Every structure is written in C-alpha cells, then in structure tokens.
Amino acid sequence: MEALYKEYQDKISGKLLSDIKEAMPEKYTKSQLKEILDLVAEEYEVSKIEAGESVGLVSAQSVGEPGTQMTLNTFHFAGVAEFNVTVGLPRIIEILDGRKKISTPMMEIYLKGPYAKGKDIKKIAESIKQTEFRDFIREISLEITEGILEVTIDLDKLKRVDLKEVKLMKILEKALKGFTLKQDKNKVIIKTKGKQESISELYKAKEKIKSIYVSGIKGILQVLPVKREEEFIIMTAGSNLKEIFKLDYVDTDRTLTNDIFEIRDILGIEAARQAVINEVFKVIENQGLNVDIRHIMLISDTMSFTGKVRGITRYGVVNDKSSVLARASFETPVKHIINAALIGETDPLSSVVENVMINQMIPVGTGLPKLVAQINKKEDKKKK
Amino acid sequence: MITIAKKTPEVDVSKHILVPKHIKLNDKEKASLLEKYKITLEELPRIFIDDPAVANLELTTDDVILVKRPSETAGITDFYRRVVK
C-alpha cells in the first residue's frame, strides 16, 4: 500500500495524500485504493490553474471587493486590554503598502519552561516594559532662588522593577551632563555645574529628565500578561523583536510580532512572506469575510520576490516593472514617460497593460501562445 | 528575582515557526531545476546572502536555495530562490 502512495506522490499534493490515508476504511484492496487515487489525481489535475490564466487580476478583484465592505474604523478596543489595535481596511492598506512604520505594533511573547506556567509572570512583564524616569517621579519642584531642581522619587516603584538607587543615579548622571546630582533619601537634587546659575538650563533639564530611558526594552510601551490555553503569554503594545529574542526566558521559536519589516530583518524573507499572509488573513477573517488564501499567497509572493518586502505602491512592486507604459499607467504617468524618454528606454510590450494601451492582443489565455515557424528548415528543403 | 539576563550568541532563527527549511542545492540539482521549468537563473525569485534564515549555510551568489514551505493548500511545497548580494 505504501508503495502505491509513493507512486502518486508526484501527482497528488502531500496534504491531499495524507487526507486520503486518514479517510480510508480499515479494510480495502489494492485495486480499490488505486481507483481512488486515480480519481483524485484526475480531479487534482483538473483543479490546477491553467497556463495563461490572469491570476493577478482575479486576485485583485477577490481582495478588492471584500475591501469595500470592511470597516474604516482605525481603532478598536480589543476586549480585556486597553490596547489600540488597527483592524479592517486601514490595517490591510498598511500591510500591502509595505509601510515601514505601522500604526500599532504589537508582540506576542511566549515564555519558556516554568515561566510559561505563570512563574514570575508579573515581574517579567514589568521588567520588559520600557520605563522612563517620569514613571518614578512623584514630584518635581524648581526653586529659582536657590537655583536647584528637586525631584522626589517613588522608591516603591523602583523596587518593583528591581532597580537599585545607585544604578538609577548613574543613569541620570550619564544623561545629564553639565549638572551635578546629589541624592538625599528619596530626593534627587540637580544643580547646574559652575558658579553661574542658569535658570533656563534648569527649565530645560526639568523637561529632559522626564524622558530619560531607565530600564526595560526600548519600544515596548505596554505589557499585558494573558493566559492562553494553559499557558501564560505576554502581549505588548510596541515591538522590538531583536531585543526580546536576547532574553533567556523567552521562547524564541514562537514569539511573534505584527511588524513585517522587523520579521524580515530578524527572521528572513520567507518568514516575512508567511507573516504577510497570516496578518492579511487574520484581518479578513476578523471582519467575517471570505477570501481564498491563494489570492493572499500570490500577493505575498509578489511582495517578497526580490528578497526585500516591497509594497504594492508606485515605489515598490510597480516601480520594478520592466515596461514603461505599465508603470505610467499606474500613477504619476508624466514622470515615468519623461524619465524613460531621457534615458531612451525601450518597451518590449511583453505584458498586459501596455498591450491594452496600444490596442493589441494581450498575452493572456488564448492570446498567450505564439506561432513559431521554422523558416530555415523550409529553405533547406527547397535547396535540395 | 528576575534580572534581565542577556544571551550573548545570536538566536538560532531556523526553528522559529515562521521560518521554513532552507536547503542549498548542488550544481546538478540546480541544472535540473532550470531544465525542468525551462528558465534562466535570473528569473528565479531572490534571497539576500545575509538573510537570517540562511545564515548557517555557506553561500556564494547565484546559489539556489530550496525552501520547503508548509502550505495551507498543498502540504509542503517547494520554492526556489537565487542568492544575491
């Protein structure tokens, strides 16, 4: 039986074959199986797309039409958390345009071993979150007469993120050059260096100290531990895959982000391709729409063709088209035509759009095959 | 007590759920691939030589990488990429 399955490996895709294996009853003869496999192989061959089918056009329609039904709401409050998540059409546009900065980057951080069962989950989440000095400030007072800036620190909060006072002072000293710092219990007194007391410098420092980066991972703005199927994960607003991967309690095999470019940089182009499919499909499913995943796969393949992620824009995919007329037909036609004229570009008229423009048969479907005549042979015969 | 301990070596991304298996083709396989689809090397999709997913392979430009993609519609499918700089 196994040998028979092997025989059909080239004719039937792997998933179908294993589906058949599972669906077979306990007892059957070899000839029965062969009959089934033959039928499936035939159906599979018929269901394949034919050469010359305009798959891109069909994909564009299939994604475009449901797009008109999607919500235009950018923001949506996702259940338990106070996270903002971009969904619907704005998210689709963001992905397909290949935007480098997405509006709501998010991560799902999976944890290893005991941490996945909830050990120290709160502490881990807290330590990942990016904290600035403002999170520890209880009070700031500026005393102009004495020329000092007095900052009262919340020591309990410091303890919660496991940060020593000495370390905090070092961070502050590094960030505030030109000032002298003195610690007095829970107060930090900041003075300008030198004899001249500059009030305006102090004012600047007052604003500056608030946004001094203290601890955690840059970019992770909010954290939320969630239980998902017997396992604790951390959802975050903001994303920094590179730094998160460096933590030794993070499960680097499953941790995800919704930032396609970050995935491209850290995990490679193939991962980015898969991420585009997943993200687009997630949105479409969320909206209760139904688009065949093959259309999305085609789009994603096009976007990742060159090894970089390119958006479907005039700077991305369209810019790489070889035909001048095809590029001009998309956006900013004058620019493309003038540039082409300046460098003397030729258009081989090998694709669809340019042939539509000049009213010629397009290379699609029955227009695809070309007649090939062997002229030389004929002449040879005549000579004989 | 949780301290942010940092790993020194680079993370091995090949086990990540988003990363399919990348295999380098030898010259014979490369030639038979081009013959099978009747294409030139330049027509293949590309992958950068410094792509993290192929970091553990020894590559030069114009090598061909076979990607074993898990596909939702067809089980595991083969996809090919040419290595470029």
Side-chain angles (χ1 to χ4, degrees):
Chain A
M1 295 289 173
E2 281 303 313
L4 201 57
Y5 279 122
K6 263 221 161 123
E7 212 176 285
Y8 279 86
Q9 228 164 33
D10 291 338
K11 290 178 192 164
I12 306 171
S13 88
K15 198 190 171 202
L16 265 178
L17 212 57
S18 59
D19 279 356
I20 296 168
K21 254 188 216 176
E22 261 174 44
M24 287 305 279
E26 268 177 46
K27 277 182 185 170
Y28 55 92
T29 63
K30 207 171 178 181
S31 62
Q32 278 173 326
L33 179 65
K34 194 167 166 26
E35 204 175 319
I36 290 169
L37 289 174
D38 273 335
L39 274 172
V40 173
E42 199 187 317
E43 279 296 315
Y44 187 65
E45 203 53 46
V46 169
S47 72
K48 274 186 181 171
I49 211 91
E50 273 165 45
E53 178 75 58
S54 42
V55 282
L57 185 79
V58 176
S59 279
Q61 290 179 336
S62 305
V63 176
E65 195 277 333
T68 62
Q69 299 176 33
M70 275 185 218
T71 47
L72 291 165
N73 293 343
T74 316
F75 297 110
H76 156 87
F77 298 91
V80 241
E82 61 271 40
F83 287 166
N84 268 337
V85 189
T86 311
V87 291
L89 197 62
R91 176 69 184 140
I92 296 263
I93 292 172
E94 196 174 78
I95 300 166
L96 298 187
D97 275 4
R99 300 244 170 96
K100 288 225 164 85
K101 272 240 156 87
I102 57 173
S103 56
T104 49
M106 277 175 78
M107 283 187 88
E108 275 173 25
I109 301 169
Y110 284 84
L111 301 167
K112 264 185 199 160
Y115 302 108
K117 295 198 176 74
K119 190 191 168 206
D120 294 331
I121 186 90
K122 261 194 165 166
K123 260 197 166 163
I124 290 175
E126 202 71 38
S127 71
I128 286 171
K129 190 179 165 187
Q130 175 188 329
T131 48
E132 290 172 349
F133 190 48
R134 81 174 83 219
D135 299 327
F136 304 108
I137 297 172
R138 195 177 267 170
E139 200 185 324
I140 305 179
S141 61
L142 181 66
E143 287 183 36
I144 297 170
T145 46
E146 290 168 60
I148 56 168
L149 189 63
E150 208 179 84
V151 185
T152 316
I153 303 170
D154 193 338
L155 288 177
D156 288 344
K157 261 195 179 163
L158 265 187
K159 250 180 212 160
R160 227 179 299 155
V161 295
D162 214 36
L163 194 74
K164 299 252 158 57
E165 289 164 51
V166 190
K167 213 180 162 196
L168 179 69
M169 288 302 288
K170 264 191 189 152
I171 293 166
L172 288 180
E173 267 165 33
K174 224 178 172 184
L176 289 171
K177 277 185 182 130
F179 294 91
T180 50
L181 281 87
K182 231 169 55 192
Q183 197 196 355
D184 181 22
K185 276 179 194 165
N186 65 344
K187 278 181 186 154
V188 179
I189 293 157
I190 300 168
K191 249 184 178 172
T192 47
K193 257 181 197 166
K195 277 177 191 168
Q196 275 220 322
E197 287 160 0
S198 164
I199 305 292
S200 67
E201 283 290 308
L202 273 181
Y203 263 113
K204 268 183 207 158
K206 187 185 159 199
E207 289 311 310
K208 199 182 164 192
I209 55 167
K210 284 183 193 164
S211 51
I212 291 172
Y213 162 77
V214 176
S215 69
I217 286 162
K218 275 183 187 167
I220 308 292
L221 304 175
Q222 272 183 59
V223 286
L224 181 79
V226 203
K227 195 171 188 188
R228 183 177 290 174
E229 290 165 17
E230 303 297 304
E231 192 177 6
F232 282 93
I233 64 166
I234 300 171
M235 308 236 319
T236 69
S239 172
N240 191 342
L241 202 59
K242 197 178 179 186
E243 293 301 317
I244 292 285
F245 269 10
K246 285 182 185 163
L247 305 173
D248 56 6
Y249 44 78
V250 168
D251 186 346
T252 51
D253 296 348
R254 289 182 296 159
T255 295
L256 289 174
T257 170
N258 67 352
D259 189 333
I260 309 289
F261 278 87
E262 216 166 56
I263 291 178
R264 156 72 185 82
D265 289 342
I266 310 292
L267 298 173
I269 187 66
E270 278 293 325
R273 184 200 88 103
Q274 192 57 50
V276 169
I277 296 172
N278 293 351
E279 288 291 324
V280 173
F281 202 66
K282 211 160 74 189
V283 175
I284 288 169
E285 238 179 13
N286 251 328
Q287 301 277 313
L289 300 168
N290 196 10
V291 176
D292 196 294
I293 198 162
R294 292 173 185 86
H295 298 308
I296 302 162
M297 284 156 88
L298 180 71
I299 295 170
S300 192
D301 274 340
T302 311
M303 286 174 72
S304 62
F305 185 89
T306 55
K308 277 187 214 159
V309 178
R310 300 173 307 161
I312 320 272
T313 61
R314 73 179 107 134
Y315 310 106
V317 174
V318 179
N319 198 25
D320 290 355
K321 285 192 177 180
S322 58
S323 161
V324 190
L325 291 175
R327 265 179 282 139
S329 76
F330 186 67
E331 274 167 11
T332 57
V334 177
K335 190 185 98 187
H336 283 290
I337 290 169
I338 289 177
N339 280 345
L342 281 175
I343 58 169
E345 221 174 303
T346 50
D347 195 323
L349 298 178
S350 57
S351 189
V352 181
V353 190
E354 51 268 37
N355 282 302
V356 172
M357 288 167 94
I358 58 164
N359 199 21
Q360 245 183 206
M361 177 132 69
I362 55 171
V364 157
T366 49
L368 187 63
K370 296 237 164 59
L371 200 62
V372 180
Q374 286 184 317
I375 295 165
N376 288 339
K377 257 191 183 172
K378 242 182 181 176
E379 282 175 350
D380 285 348
K381 271 181 190 170
K382 267 184 192 170
K383 273 177 196 169
K384 276 171 194 174
Chain B
M1 189 90 10
I2 294 293
T3 44
I4 299 185
K6 282 181 181 166
K7 259 188 192 172
T8 31
E10 288 268 316
V11 182
D12 178 20
V13 297
S14 64
K15 282 183 192 138
H16 195 279
I17 46 166
L18 283 180
V19 183
K21 211 175 195 177
H22 290 62
I23 303 159
K24 185 183 157 184
L25 293 189
N26 59 34
D27 288 347
K28 215 174 145 193
E29 289 166 325
K30 204 165 118 182
S32 70
L33 167 77
L34 298 181
E35 177 56 33
K36 185 182 171 192
Y37 292 104
K38 300 199 170 51
I39 48 169
T40 60
L41 203 57
E42 280 67 38
E43 285 171 301
L44 279 175
R46 285 158 254 165
I47 187 168
F48 282 95
I49 200 162
D50 58 354
D51 196 276
V54 291
N56 51 1
L57 300 172
E58 272 177 38
L59 297 171
T60 51
T61 48
D62 282 354
D63 276 339
V64 174
I65 301 287
L66 162 63
V67 184
K68 288 273 184 194
R69 282 181 181 170
S71 161
E72 240 173 82
T73 51
I76 289 172
T77 45
D78 293 350
F79 195 78
Y80 301 90
R81 283 182 187 275
R82 173 172 64 104
V83 177
V84 290
K85 248 182 192 144

